[in-house]
Amino acid sequence: MGRAPCCDKANVKKGPWSPEEDAKLKAYIEKNGTGGNWIALPQKIGLKRCGKSCRLRWLNYLRPNIKHGGFSEEEDNIICSLYINIGSRWSVIATQLPGRTDNDIKNYWNTRLKKKLLGKQRKEQQARRANYLKQEMKREPGIFVVPDQAVGRNPYWAELPAVSVHPNQDPDIKDQASIKKLLIKLGGRFGDDGQQPGSNSINFQYPLDISTAQDGPYETSMNMFASSTSTMNSINSTGSQLPNTHYDVNGSASNVLQGYNNLLNELVYSNPQQLDGSGSFYGIEDIANGSTGTSSAESSSWGDISSLVYPSIISNYGVCQQGPLQDSGFEELRYLGSQ
DNA sequence: AATTCAATCAACCGCTGGATT
DNA sequence: AAATCCAGCGGTTGATTGAAT
């Protein structure tokens, strides 16, 4: 049996709210509260609106202390960090941004923040590629036979083996090591350049449960991620609803990976430069599988993406060699693998 | 000045899960 | 245990606005 409609669609007004409707709803709720029953509320007030519509209007617009627009850099960082960690759980993210609604954050992410990040990533990508091509051509003139139109577009990917990747493929992250590697990858921040990890505007004040982490430079990586993890824990402790979700290092990797996968797909699929003729991508499969990568060439495309995901980790470690074909992320993971 | 295009955001829609009957 | 109800959530749509042509 199908579900009964929440209201009589024929007698319900849709579309933008008038100031009179707003005033009615606001006045009633401020005086009487919602009464825990949104469906019945519009009838009580004499509004020809669906209860769901009233709820949305109140929560997203009429509720006191709502902020609209003007997101700060700090808020950007929080949104990005949380998105990477928990995915598009806007209501949870909203709990960490007082005055912001899930709808507002969702809109902001979809219309601006995502583009801001993609733009940043592209710029870095182009600069690195141009620099690499210049150096290589100087070193060994004639090694590259690159069609004119490809110069500056994909100078070295053409040398790489094509590996197809399925957008919805879930990484195989069953074992501890794979999970750990992925968590390390997820440890970065997303604000403007120049800000060091320690100065992340999110207040990561909780100690890390390092029981599964290793000594050495990766402890810092783990700490960075665990900082986010701790944020997750604090979110849980503030009463947000996160059923069946574990954000600890040993916990539900699929939840943690949701945001990562979303962003990865967005980055890859929104960048036509990473497409070869057959619609395959270079080297992404290794990333999705949590591989450490085996050659510098294979790691290059991930590096372009990962520079966005954990730039601060990279910049923080002397063990990592910078360069377009020596991706720091994989260098780091290789180091981890050899411990 | 008119038209087209892109960006933004409020609101809607349908699904999910918990509570209740 | 099954059916039903409802709040809450995330994805999507469509109206509006502003910039570009």
Side-chain angles (χ1 to χ4, degrees):
Chain A
M1 184 175 153
R3 190 179 151 171
C6 65
C7 55
D8 181 5
K9 305 273 181 195
N11 294 316
V12 157
K13 187 184 169 193
K14 288 163 83 170
W17 281 63
S18 69
E20 292 76 25
E21 289 176 311
D22 280 346
K24 257 186 182 177
L25 182 63
K26 194 161 187 252
Y28 182 87
I29 294 178
E30 280 176 351
K31 190 178 174 194
N32 306 297
T34 65
N37 189 346
W38 286 106
I39 301 296
L41 194 137
Q43 286 180 331
K44 287 182 192 167
I45 319 174
L47 278 176
K48 288 193 170 181
R49 289 277 180 177
C50 174
K52 281 171 91 170
S53 182
C54 293
R55 176 185 160 271
L56 213 60
R57 186 65 182 169
W58 170 255
L59 291 176
N60 290 339
Y61 197 81
L62 298 174
R63 194 162 45 113
N65 305 320
I66 293 283
K67 279 191 277 183
H68 288 288
F71 281 80
S72 67
E73 198 67 46
E74 183 181 358
E75 287 175 313
D76 287 0
N77 289 334
I78 293 172
I79 294 167
C80 288
S81 296
L82 289 172
Y83 184 87
I84 286 298
N85 282 293
I86 65 175
S88 57
R89 305 169 82 144
W90 305 116
S91 60
V92 177
I93 294 173
T95 63
Q96 300 304 299
L97 298 171
R100 301 292 186 188
T101 68
D102 54 354
N103 207 33
D104 225 18
I105 294 168
K106 179 174 61 181
N107 283 333
Y108 180 59
W109 170 264
N110 284 329
T111 60
R112 298 198 220 176
L113 202 47
K114 202 161 69 179
K115 289 172 193 167
K116 188 174 162 184
L117 294 173
L118 292 172
K120 183 188 279 288
Q121 185 241 359
R122 276 200 197 106
K123 254 164 66 180
E124 288 171 1
Q125 223 173 47
Q126 281 166 7
R128 269 208 303 271
R129 278 191 215 119
N131 189 38
Y132 171 75
L133 185 63
K134 227 163 75 183
Q135 287 178 354
E136 284 301 302
M137 289 184 84
K138 204 184 288 175
R139 197 167 55 85
E140 284 194 68
I143 191 172
F144 290 107
V145 183
V146 183
D148 285 350
Q149 69 269 23
V151 174
R153 201 155 48 86
N154 55 351
Y156 52 82
W157 285 345
E159 306 295 323
L160 304 177
V163 182
S164 67
V165 64
H166 308 291
N168 297 322
Q169 177 184 31
D170 271 354
D172 179 9
I173 37 97
K174 291 185 182 71
D175 62 288
Q176 284 281 317
S178 300
I179 293 169
K180 197 181 292 180
K181 286 167 194 168
L182 282 159
L183 297 187
I184 289 167
K185 288 177 187 174
L186 298 176
R189 63 180 295 283
F190 296 83
D192 276 353
D193 298 332
Q195 198 176 354
Q196 294 307 305
S199 63
N200 194 327
S201 46
I202 302 175
N203 184 18
F204 292 150
Q205 56 186 321
Y206 301 94
L208 163 67
D209 173 9
I210 203 77
S211 57
T212 59
Q214 304 188 13
D215 294 325
Y218 296 95
E219 193 169 334
T220 312
S221 297
M222 295 305 291
N223 263 310
M224 290 183 63
F225 178 80
S227 297
S228 302
T229 302
S230 300
T231 304
M232 299 309 111
N233 292 336
S234 71
I235 290 169
N236 269 329
S237 68
T238 58
S240 298
Q241 295 170 359
L242 295 171
N244 306 320
T245 305
H246 307 286
Y247 294 103
D248 56 281
V249 168
N250 299 312
S252 172
S254 61
N255 278 319
V256 170
L257 281 164
Q258 184 186 342
Y260 156 76
N261 281 329
N262 290 348
L263 188 58
L264 182 61
N265 284 332
E266 280 159 10
L267 292 172
V268 171
Y269 287 95
S270 66
N271 191 345
Q273 294 174 356
Q274 295 182 353
L275 286 168
D276 68 9
S278 63
S280 298
F281 305 97
Y282 296 116
I284 304 296
E285 194 166 69
D286 286 338
I287 300 156
N289 285 325
S291 161
T292 59
T294 51
S295 73
S296 57
E298 282 171 356
S299 69
S300 59
S301 56
W302 164 242
D304 293 331
I305 296 165
S306 63
S307 64
L308 177 67
V309 178
Y310 55 105
S312 53
I313 295 178
I314 294 169
S315 63
N316 218 24
Y317 298 139
V319 296
C320 302
Q321 294 179 23
Q322 296 295 329
L325 291 187
Q326 299 208 321
D327 176 70
S328 311
F330 278 117
E331 289 300 316
E332 182 184 49
L333 294 173
R334 255 174 258 153
Y335 181 87
L336 175 64
S338 67
Q339 292 297 291

